[in-house]
Amino acid sequence: RGLLVALRKRGIEKSPFLTASEFAAGLSGSPARPLVAEFTLGYEAVRFGRNAEEIPRLADLLRRIEALPR
């Protein structure tokens, strides 16, 4: 949710019908794309792989995304 809020503040909206991976892939040309793609991989590892070790990295990526220009 935090990722979507940070992106919305930068004019980037996720359509509800897109998966997280589809959304990240569709951000071509956006400076947020590499960070969102990396965040998505980590999110999926936590959410579906139950890999809690990724949580600190997700927090760091979210801070970096929030620091992007609006």
Side-chain angles (χ1 to χ4, degrees):
R1 197 174 288 160
L3 172 67
L4 295 178
V5 169
L7 292 174
R8 192 174 305 117
K9 289 178 181 178
R10 283 147 190 84
I12 301 170
E13 295 274 347
K14 179 187 171 293
S15 296
F17 61 85
L18 293 175
T19 67
S21 295
E22 291 170 336
F23 174 65
L27 292 176
S28 61
S30 169
R33 187 194 184 287
L35 295 171
V36 173
E38 189 176 345
F39 186 96
T40 299
L41 290 175
Y43 167 79
E44 290 174 343
V46 171
R47 175 78 170 93
F48 303 112
R50 299 180 187 229
N51 183 355
E53 295 172 8
E54 291 290 318
I55 293 172
R57 187 167 71 99
L58 290 176
D60 178 60
L61 287 166
L62 182 55
R63 281 190 294 274
R64 291 169 59 194
I65 291 166
E66 290 171 336
L68 291 171
R70 292 183 182 200

